[in-house]
Amino acid sequence: ETGVTQTPRHLVMGMTNKKSLKCEQHLGHNAMYWYKQSAKKPLELMFVYNFKEQTENNSVPSRFSPECPNSSHLFLHLHTLQPEDSALYLCASSQNDRDPYEQYFGPGTRLTVT
Amino acid sequence: DAKTTQPTSMDCAEGRAANLPCNHSTISGNEYVYWYRQIHSQGPQYIIHGLKNNETNEMASLIITEDRKSSTLILPHATLRDTAVYYCIVRLPMDSSYKLIFGSGTRLLVRP
């Protein structure tokens, strides 16, 4: 238990669906992250939020839309996804006024796009 | 940003020490070495980090060579639950955003 929770753990959606992934951290951190992990590929950073402000968008397609209403919650809104978007989506957080590289990861959402 | 090189896979016997090497020959003076691991179907887990001195915590020890061009993560008594992919990461400069760049890592298999 890392203090970072993600829901749902598994999601199957069609290409025309709209769904959202949720992440919540109970660590009092101020920075939150979305990563994508495709099969047999390294983790890819998608978005970074610091004090609710987006500080990094790693050239992610607009069909992925993040939202950070407060420092404890992070969402990833999904619409018109492609089958190649099927992957493990991981959320992480860190205490930005200390070492930001000690990140705590959630268990991930396994997404399948049909 | 310094890049890292790790063996693709390693194995060790349960109860023995697992020594995972990492080369980072282009590391700069203000860059730290971080280790994470990822157990199958879980998110990555922070293990340890260091700058130039050797470090030890409840999970592992980190040995950094004097020239800082390589390091070794040591799991002193490996268990079956230590089977995972281990990532060696060199931290980006402080004026970059807070991001970790994960490479391919070393797949460690702990044998019974």
Side-chain angles (χ1 to χ4, degrees):
Chain A
E1 180 61 48
T2 63
V4 181
T5 58
Q6 290 186 242
T7 54
R9 294 293 309 274
H10 300 271
L11 177 63
V12 180
M13 60 185 289
M15 289 190 285
T16 58
N17 292 156
K18 289 185 179 180
K19 296 286 184 183
S20 296
L21 310 184
K22 179 183 177 182
C23 175
E24 183 174 2
Q25 56 96 0
H26 312 274
L27 301 168
H29 290 167
N30 297 305
M32 297 187 75
Y33 313 76
W34 279 116
Y35 287 85
K36 175 185 178 182
Q37 188 170 37
S38 304
K40 299 182 180 180
K41 291 175 70 174
L43 273 164
E44 303 170 56
L45 178 70
M46 299 176 72
F47 301 104
V48 180
Y49 278 82
N50 192 40
F51 287 98
K52 304 186 297 179
E53 298 298 319
Q54 187 180 122
T55 57
E56 183 89 11
N57 178 337
N58 202 23
S59 302
V60 180
S62 59
R63 58 185 183 270
F64 296 92
S65 175
E67 179 190 2
C68 189
N70 54 62
S71 293
S72 299
H73 294 86
L74 185 64
F75 295 88
L76 188 63
H77 304 300
L78 316 171
H79 66 97
T80 59
L81 294 193
Q82 305 298 312
E84 59 264 29
D85 296 322
S86 298
L88 180 68
Y89 288 85
L90 291 155
C91 173
S93 72
S94 68
Q95 179 74 319
N96 75 310
D97 64 345
R98 293 189 321 188
D99 195 327
Y101 297 90
E102 189 172 329
Q103 294 182 13
Y104 294 82
F105 285 79
T109 295
R110 175 73 59 187
L111 174 67
T112 303
V113 181
T114 60
Chain B
D1 303 315
K3 294 182 179 177
T4 61
T5 305
Q6 298 177 253
T8 303
S9 63
M10 297 181 64
D11 67 86
C12 75
E14 187 178 19
R16 297 294 192 112
N19 298 293
L20 295 102
C22 180
N23 287 320
H24 31 79
S25 58
T26 59
I27 192 170
S28 65
N30 61 346
E31 291 182 311
Y32 284 69
V33 180
Y34 279 72
W35 284 84
Y36 279 73
R37 73 179 182 183
Q38 187 173 20
I39 295 170
H40 183 63
S41 295
Q42 296 182 25
Q45 177 189 23
Y46 165 82
I47 301 173
I48 199 167
H49 73 281
L51 181 62
K52 57 176 81 172
N53 297 323
N54 297 338
E55 303 288 343
T56 295
N57 63 21
E58 65 278 4
M59 289 184 68
S61 294
L62 174 61
I63 308 298
I64 302 175
T65 57
E66 194 168 340
D67 63 8
R68 303 207 328 120
K69 293 184 177 182
S70 65
S71 59
T72 301
L73 178 74
I74 301 173
L75 308 177
H77 306 286
T79 70
L80 299 179
R81 289 179 295 179
D82 291 322
T83 291
V85 179
Y86 286 78
Y87 297 97
C88 169
I89 299 166
V90 173
R91 190 175 99 173
L92 295 169
M94 275 301 291
D95 59 353
S96 297
S97 61
Y98 308 133
K99 50 186 177 182
L100 293 168
I101 306 296
F102 287 81
S104 299
T106 296
R107 188 171 298 277
L108 175 68
L109 173 65
V110 180
R111 295 177 279 103

PDB file of all heavy atoms in Angstrom, chain B residues 75-101:
ATOM      1  N   LEU B  75      20.548  -6.402  -2.985  1.00  0.00           N
ATOM      2  CA  LEU B  75      19.490  -6.949  -2.135  1.00  0.00           C
ATOM      3  C   LEU B  75      20.155  -8.038  -1.313  1.00  0.00           C
ATOM      4  O   LEU B  75      20.503  -9.096  -1.850  1.00  0.00           O
ATOM      5  CB  LEU B  75      18.354  -7.524  -2.978  1.00  0.00           C
ATOM      6  CG  LEU B  75      17.763  -6.600  -4.045  1.00  0.00           C
ATOM      7  CD1 LEU B  75      16.687  -7.342  -4.845  1.00  0.00           C
ATOM      8  CD2 LEU B  75      17.197  -5.353  -3.434  1.00  0.00           C
ATOM      9  N   PRO B  76      20.372  -7.839  -0.022  1.00  0.00           N
ATOM     10  CA  PRO B  76      21.258  -8.722   0.732  1.00  0.00           C
ATOM     11  C   PRO B  76      20.771 -10.163   0.858  1.00  0.00           C
ATOM     12  O   PRO B  76      21.587 -11.083   0.846  1.00  0.00           O
ATOM     13  CB  PRO B  76      21.366  -8.045   2.097  1.00  0.00           C
ATOM     14  CG  PRO B  76      20.213  -7.114   2.164  1.00  0.00           C
ATOM     15  CD  PRO B  76      19.885  -6.721   0.762  1.00  0.00           C
ATOM     16  N   HIS B  77      19.487 -10.357   0.962  1.00  0.00           N
ATOM     17  CA  HIS B  77      18.934 -11.709   1.089  1.00  0.00           C
ATOM     18  C   HIS B  77      17.685 -11.787   0.217  1.00  0.00           C
ATOM     19  O   HIS B  77      16.575 -11.557   0.683  1.00  0.00           O
ATOM     20  CB  HIS B  77      18.585 -12.029   2.537  1.00  0.00           C
ATOM     21  CG  HIS B  77      19.721 -11.826   3.497  1.00  0.00           C
ATOM     22  ND1 HIS B  77      20.791 -12.694   3.574  1.00  0.00           N
ATOM     23  CD2 HIS B  77      19.964 -10.831   4.389  1.00  0.00           C
ATOM     24  CE1 HIS B  77      21.639 -12.246   4.480  1.00  0.00           C
ATOM     25  NE2 HIS B  77      21.176 -11.126   4.985  1.00  0.00           N
ATOM     26  N   ALA B  78      17.891 -12.083  -1.046  1.00  0.00           N
ATOM     27  CA  ALA B  78      16.777 -12.029  -1.989  1.00  0.00           C
ATOM     28  C   ALA B  78      15.709 -13.067  -1.652  1.00  0.00           C
ATOM     29  O   ALA B  78      16.005 -14.203  -1.259  1.00  0.00           O
ATOM     30  CB  ALA B  78      17.292 -12.262  -3.409  1.00  0.00           C
ATOM     31  N   THR B  79      14.462 -12.647  -1.809  1.00  0.00           N
ATOM     32  CA  THR B  79      13.327 -13.559  -1.642  1.00  0.00           C
ATOM     33  C   THR B  79      12.580 -13.660  -2.964  1.00  0.00           C
ATOM     34  O   THR B  79      12.797 -12.866  -3.882  1.00  0.00           O
ATOM     35  CB  THR B  79      12.368 -13.063  -0.554  1.00  0.00           C
ATOM     36  OG1 THR B  79      11.688 -11.888  -1.034  1.00  0.00           O
ATOM     37  CG2 THR B  79      13.111 -12.726   0.737  1.00  0.00           C
ATOM     38  N   LEU B  80      11.679 -14.613  -3.042  1.00  0.00           N
ATOM     39  CA  LEU B  80      10.914 -14.796  -4.269  1.00  0.00           C
ATOM     40  C   LEU B  80      10.128 -13.538  -4.624  1.00  0.00           C
ATOM     41  O   LEU B  80       9.909 -13.228  -5.800  1.00  0.00           O
ATOM     42  CB  LEU B  80       9.960 -15.988  -4.134  1.00  0.00           C
ATOM     43  CG  LEU B  80      10.631 -17.344  -3.873  1.00  0.00           C
ATOM     44  CD1 LEU B  80       9.569 -18.442  -3.747  1.00  0.00           C
ATOM     45  CD2 LEU B  80      11.618 -17.703  -4.972  1.00  0.00           C
ATOM     46  N   ARG B  81       9.733 -12.772  -3.585  1.00  0.00           N
ATOM     47  CA  ARG B  81       8.962 -11.553  -3.826  1.00  0.00           C
ATOM     48  C   ARG B  81       9.795 -10.425  -4.409  1.00  0.00           C
ATOM     49  O   ARG B  81       9.263  -9.383  -4.790  1.00  0.00           O
ATOM     50  CB  ARG B  81       8.290 -11.096  -2.530  1.00  0.00           C
ATOM     51  CG  ARG B  81       7.134 -11.993  -2.091  1.00  0.00           C
ATOM     52  CD  ARG B  81       6.526 -11.501  -0.799  1.00  0.00           C
ATOM     53  NE  ARG B  81       7.458 -11.578   0.316  1.00  0.00           N
ATOM     54  CZ  ARG B  81       7.186 -11.193   1.551  1.00  0.00           C
ATOM     55  NH1 ARG B  81       6.006 -10.665   1.828  1.00  0.00           N
ATOM     56  NH2 ARG B  81       8.069 -11.305   2.508  1.00  0.00           N
ATOM     57  N   ASP B  82      11.109 -10.630  -4.452  1.00  0.00           N
ATOM     58  CA  ASP B  82      11.977  -9.627  -5.065  1.00  0.00           C
ATOM     59  C   ASP B  82      12.071  -9.797  -6.581  1.00  0.00           C
ATOM     60  O   ASP B  82      12.740  -8.996  -7.252  1.00  0.00           O
ATOM     61  CB  ASP B  82      13.379  -9.700  -4.442  1.00  0.00           C
ATOM     62  CG  ASP B  82      13.389  -9.241  -2.994  1.00  0.00           C
ATOM     63  OD1 ASP B  82      12.670  -8.282  -2.665  1.00  0.00           O
ATOM     64  OD2 ASP B  82      14.132  -9.864  -2.196  1.00  0.00           O
ATOM     65  N   THR B  83      11.446 -10.820  -7.121  1.00  0.00           N
ATOM     66  CA  THR B  83      11.414 -10.987  -8.572  1.00  0.00           C
ATOM     67  C   THR B  83      10.667  -9.799  -9.178  1.00  0.00           C
ATOM     68  O   THR B  83       9.502  -9.558  -8.851  1.00  0.00           O
ATOM     69  CB  THR B  83      10.720 -12.313  -8.951  1.00  0.00           C
ATOM     70  OG1 THR B  83      11.540 -13.400  -8.550  1.00  0.00           O
ATOM     71  CG2 THR B  83      10.477 -12.396 -10.452  1.00  0.00           C
ATOM     72  N   ALA B  84      11.359  -9.050 -10.030  1.00  0.00           N
ATOM     73  CA  ALA B  84      10.791  -7.803 -10.556  1.00  0.00           C
ATOM     74  C   ALA B  84      11.741  -7.251 -11.620  1.00  0.00           C
ATOM     75  O   ALA B  84      12.834  -7.779 -11.832  1.00  0.00           O
ATOM     76  CB  ALA B  84      10.625  -6.771  -9.434  1.00  0.00           C
ATOM     77  N   VAL B  85      11.312  -6.169 -12.263  1.00  0.00           N
ATOM     78  CA  VAL B  85      12.202  -5.412 -13.139  1.00  0.00           C
ATOM     79  C   VAL B  85      12.761  -4.251 -12.326  1.00  0.00           C
ATOM     80  O   VAL B  85      12.002  -3.500 -11.703  1.00  0.00           O
ATOM     81  CB  VAL B  85      11.460  -4.880 -14.381  1.00  0.00           C
ATOM     82  CG1 VAL B  85      12.412  -4.068 -15.260  1.00  0.00           C
ATOM     83  CG2 VAL B  85      10.863  -6.040 -15.176  1.00  0.00           C
ATOM     84  N   TYR B  86      14.073  -4.117 -12.335  1.00  0.00           N
ATOM     85  CA  TYR B  86      14.752  -3.088 -11.541  1.00  0.00           C
ATOM     86  C   TYR B  86      15.283  -2.006 -12.475  1.00  0.00           C
ATOM     87  O   TYR B  86      15.986  -2.296 -13.440  1.00  0.00           O
ATOM     88  CB  TYR B  86      15.887  -3.717 -10.738  1.00  0.00           C
ATOM     89  CG  TYR B  86      15.369  -4.529  -9.578  1.00  0.00           C
ATOM     90  CD1 TYR B  86      14.846  -5.810  -9.786  1.00  0.00           C
ATOM     91  CD2 TYR B  86      15.363  -4.019  -8.283  1.00  0.00           C
ATOM     92  CE1 TYR B  86      14.322  -6.555  -8.727  1.00  0.00           C
ATOM     93  CE2 TYR B  86      14.857  -4.760  -7.226  1.00  0.00           C
ATOM     94  CZ  TYR B  86      14.333  -6.018  -7.453  1.00  0.00           C
ATOM     95  OH  TYR B  86      13.819  -6.738  -6.410  1.00  0.00           O
ATOM     96  N   TYR B  87      14.937  -0.778 -12.158  1.00  0.00           N
ATOM     97  CA  TYR B  87      15.306   0.356 -12.998  1.00  0.00           C
ATOM     98  C   TYR B  87      16.337   1.228 -12.280  1.00  0.00           C
ATOM     99  O   TYR B  87      16.132   1.641 -11.140  1.00  0.00           O
ATOM    100  CB  TYR B  87      14.083   1.221 -13.308  1.00  0.00           C
ATOM    101  CG  TYR B  87      13.003   0.529 -14.095  1.00  0.00           C
ATOM    102  CD1 TYR B  87      11.896  -0.031 -13.461  1.00  0.00           C
ATOM    103  CD2 TYR B  87      13.077   0.439 -15.482  1.00  0.00           C
ATOM    104  CE1 TYR B  87      10.890  -0.652 -14.175  1.00  0.00           C
ATOM    105  CE2 TYR B  87      12.076  -0.185 -16.212  1.00  0.00           C
ATOM    106  CZ  TYR B  87      10.986  -0.728 -15.551  1.00  0.00           C
ATOM    107  OH  TYR B  87       9.996  -1.347 -16.268  1.00  0.00           O
ATOM    108  N   CYS B  88      17.401   1.520 -12.977  1.00  0.00           N
ATOM    109  CA  CYS B  88      18.410   2.466 -12.520  1.00  0.00           C
ATOM    110  C   CYS B  88      18.166   3.758 -13.286  1.00  0.00           C
ATOM    111  O   CYS B  88      18.105   3.750 -14.512  1.00  0.00           O
ATOM    112  CB  CYS B  88      19.810   1.898 -12.807  1.00  0.00           C
ATOM    113  SG  CYS B  88      21.165   3.053 -12.599  1.00  0.00           S
ATOM    114  N   ILE B  89      18.001   4.854 -12.564  1.00  0.00           N
ATOM    115  CA  ILE B  89      17.634   6.122 -13.198  1.00  0.00           C
ATOM    116  C   ILE B  89      18.569   7.197 -12.686  1.00  0.00           C
ATOM    117  O   ILE B  89      18.835   7.293 -11.487  1.00  0.00           O
ATOM    118  CB  ILE B  89      16.188   6.503 -12.843  1.00  0.00           C
ATOM    119  CG1 ILE B  89      15.211   5.430 -13.336  1.00  0.00           C
ATOM    120  CG2 ILE B  89      15.818   7.862 -13.432  1.00  0.00           C
ATOM    121  CD1 ILE B  89      13.835   5.552 -12.740  1.00  0.00           C
ATOM    122  N   VAL B  90      19.072   8.011 -13.603  1.00  0.00           N
ATOM    123  CA  VAL B  90      19.883   9.152 -13.213  1.00  0.00           C
ATOM    124  C   VAL B  90      19.016  10.399 -13.325  1.00  0.00           C
ATOM    125  O   VAL B  90      18.365  10.626 -14.320  1.00  0.00           O
ATOM    126  CB  VAL B  90      21.134   9.271 -14.101  1.00  0.00           C
ATOM    127  CG1 VAL B  90      21.877  10.560 -13.812  1.00  0.00           C
ATOM    128  CG2 VAL B  90      22.044   8.078 -13.875  1.00  0.00           C
ATOM    129  N   ARG B  91      19.020  11.154 -12.268  1.00  0.00           N
ATOM    130  CA  ARG B  91      18.098  12.292 -12.165  1.00  0.00           C
ATOM    131  C   ARG B  91      18.465  13.384 -13.126  1.00  0.00           C
ATOM    132  O   ARG B  91      19.633  13.740 -13.280  1.00  0.00           O
ATOM    133  CB  ARG B  91      18.125  12.813 -10.734  1.00  0.00           C
ATOM    134  CG  ARG B  91      17.060  13.836 -10.414  1.00  0.00           C
ATOM    135  CD  ARG B  91      17.099  14.176  -8.953  1.00  0.00           C
ATOM    136  NE  ARG B  91      17.820  15.424  -8.713  1.00  0.00           N
ATOM    137  CZ  ARG B  91      17.885  16.002  -7.523  1.00  0.00           C
ATOM    138  NH1 ARG B  91      17.333  15.416  -6.495  1.00  0.00           N
ATOM    139  NH2 ARG B  91      18.532  17.116  -7.375  1.00  0.00           N
ATOM    140  N   LEU B  92      17.407  13.971 -13.716  1.00  0.00           N
ATOM    141  CA  LEU B  92      17.605  15.114 -14.589  1.00  0.00           C
ATOM    142  C   LEU B  92      17.994  16.348 -13.778  1.00  0.00           C
ATOM    143  O   LEU B  92      17.718  16.408 -12.582  1.00  0.00           O
ATOM    144  CB  LEU B  92      16.313  15.390 -15.353  1.00  0.00           C
ATOM    145  CG  LEU B  92      15.894  14.283 -16.328  1.00  0.00           C
ATOM    146  CD1 LEU B  92      14.484  14.533 -16.819  1.00  0.00           C
ATOM    147  CD2 LEU B  92      16.856  14.176 -17.480  1.00  0.00           C
ATOM    148  N   PRO B  93      18.605  17.332 -14.406  1.00  0.00           N
ATOM    149  CA  PRO B  93      18.974  18.569 -13.696  1.00  0.00           C
ATOM    150  C   PRO B  93      17.773  19.239 -13.064  1.00  0.00           C
ATOM    151  O   PRO B  93      16.646  19.104 -13.525  1.00  0.00           O
ATOM    152  CB  PRO B  93      19.581  19.443 -14.800  1.00  0.00           C
ATOM    153  CG  PRO B  93      20.037  18.495 -15.832  1.00  0.00           C
ATOM    154  CD  PRO B  93      19.081  17.341 -15.797  1.00  0.00           C
ATOM    155  N   MET B  94      18.026  19.985 -12.018  1.00  0.00           N
ATOM    156  CA  MET B  94      16.949  20.567 -11.219  1.00  0.00           C
ATOM    157  C   MET B  94      16.107  21.567 -11.991  1.00  0.00           C
ATOM    158  O   MET B  94      14.995  21.867 -11.598  1.00  0.00           O
ATOM    159  CB  MET B  94      17.528  21.250  -9.974  1.00  0.00           C
ATOM    160  CG  MET B  94      17.754  20.304  -8.832  1.00  0.00           C
ATOM    161  SD  MET B  94      16.245  19.473  -8.321  1.00  0.00           S
ATOM    162  CE  MET B  94      15.344  20.832  -7.596  1.00  0.00           C
ATOM    163  N   ASP B  95      16.608  22.133 -13.080  1.00  0.00           N
ATOM    164  CA  ASP B  95      15.788  23.105 -13.806  1.00  0.00           C
ATOM    165  C   ASP B  95      14.827  22.427 -14.775  1.00  0.00           C
ATOM    166  O   ASP B  95      14.085  23.070 -15.475  1.00  0.00           O
ATOM    167  CB  ASP B  95      16.654  24.126 -14.551  1.00  0.00           C
ATOM    168  CG  ASP B  95      17.579  23.476 -15.559  1.00  0.00           C
ATOM    169  OD1 ASP B  95      17.644  22.239 -15.580  1.00  0.00           O
ATOM    170  OD2 ASP B  95      18.224  24.193 -16.303  1.00  0.00           O
ATOM    171  N   SER B  96      14.828  21.126 -14.811  1.00  0.00           N
ATOM    172  CA  SER B  96      13.819  20.414 -15.595  1.00  0.00           C
ATOM    173  C   SER B  96      12.606  20.124 -14.722  1.00  0.00           C
ATOM    174  O   SER B  96      12.649  20.277 -13.522  1.00  0.00           O
ATOM    175  CB  SER B  96      14.387  19.093 -16.114  1.00  0.00           C
ATOM    176  OG  SER B  96      15.460  19.318 -16.987  1.00  0.00           O
ATOM    177  N   SER B  97      11.563  19.741 -15.347  1.00  0.00           N
ATOM    178  CA  SER B  97      10.376  19.398 -14.572  1.00  0.00           C
ATOM    179  C   SER B  97      10.616  18.090 -13.838  1.00  0.00           C
ATOM    180  O   SER B  97      11.601  17.401 -14.043  1.00  0.00           O
ATOM    181  CB  SER B  97       9.170  19.276 -15.490  1.00  0.00           C
ATOM    182  OG  SER B  97       9.378  18.255 -16.431  1.00  0.00           O
ATOM    183  N   TYR B  98       9.686  17.793 -12.963  1.00  0.00           N
ATOM    184  CA  TYR B  98       9.874  16.640 -12.079  1.00  0.00           C
ATOM    185  C   TYR B  98       9.569  15.364 -12.831  1.00  0.00           C
ATOM    186  O   TYR B  98       8.477  14.851 -12.756  1.00  0.00           O
ATOM    187  CB  TYR B  98       8.942  16.743 -10.886  1.00  0.00           C
ATOM    188  CG  TYR B  98       9.015  18.064 -10.158  1.00  0.00           C
ATOM    189  CD1 TYR B  98       7.855  18.739  -9.821  1.00  0.00           C
ATOM    190  CD2 TYR B  98      10.225  18.617  -9.815  1.00  0.00           C
ATOM    191  CE1 TYR B  98       7.916  19.935  -9.151  1.00  0.00           C
ATOM    192  CE2 TYR B  98      10.292  19.806  -9.147  1.00  0.00           C
ATOM    193  CZ  TYR B  98       9.136  20.468  -8.809  1.00  0.00           C
ATOM    194  OH  TYR B  98       9.189  21.641  -8.149  1.00  0.00           O
ATOM    195  N   LYS B  99      10.507  14.839 -13.575  1.00  0.00           N
ATOM    196  CA  LYS B  99      10.172  13.620 -14.265  1.00  0.00           C
ATOM    197  C   LYS B  99      11.274  12.579 -14.143  1.00  0.00           C
ATOM    198  O   LYS B  99      12.439  12.875 -14.043  1.00  0.00           O
ATOM    199  CB  LYS B  99       9.878  13.880 -15.734  1.00  0.00           C
ATOM    200  CG  LYS B  99      10.905  14.684 -16.488  1.00  0.00           C
ATOM    201  CD  LYS B  99      10.377  14.981 -17.883  1.00  0.00           C
ATOM    202  CE  LYS B  99      11.347  15.842 -18.655  1.00  0.00           C
ATOM    203  NZ  LYS B  99      10.824  16.179 -19.985  1.00  0.00           N
ATOM    204  N   LEU B 100      10.841  11.339 -14.123  1.00  0.00           N
ATOM    205  CA  LEU B 100      11.734  10.189 -14.128  1.00  0.00           C
ATOM    206  C   LEU B 100      11.695   9.578 -15.516  1.00  0.00           C
ATOM    207  O   LEU B 100      10.633   9.417 -16.080  1.00  0.00           O
ATOM    208  CB  LEU B 100      11.265   9.143 -13.112  1.00  0.00           C
ATOM    209  CG  LEU B 100      11.342   9.494 -11.640  1.00  0.00           C
ATOM    210  CD1 LEU B 100      10.571   8.467 -10.831  1.00  0.00           C
ATOM    211  CD2 LEU B 100      12.787   9.531 -11.186  1.00  0.00           C
ATOM    212  N   ILE B 101      12.843   9.264 -16.061  1.00  0.00           N
ATOM    213  CA  ILE B 101      12.910   8.587 -17.343  1.00  0.00           C
ATOM    214  C   ILE B 101      13.291   7.143 -17.074  1.00  0.00           C
ATOM    215  O   ILE B 101      14.403   6.859 -16.631  1.00  0.00           O
ATOM    216  CB  ILE B 101      13.934   9.241 -18.284  1.00  0.00           C
ATOM    217  CG1 ILE B 101      13.653  10.741 -18.425  1.00  0.00           C
ATOM    218  CG2 ILE B 101      13.929   8.542 -19.629  1.00  0.00           C
ATOM    219  CD1 ILE B 101      12.328  11.067 -19.063  1.00  0.00           C
TER     220      ILE B 101
END
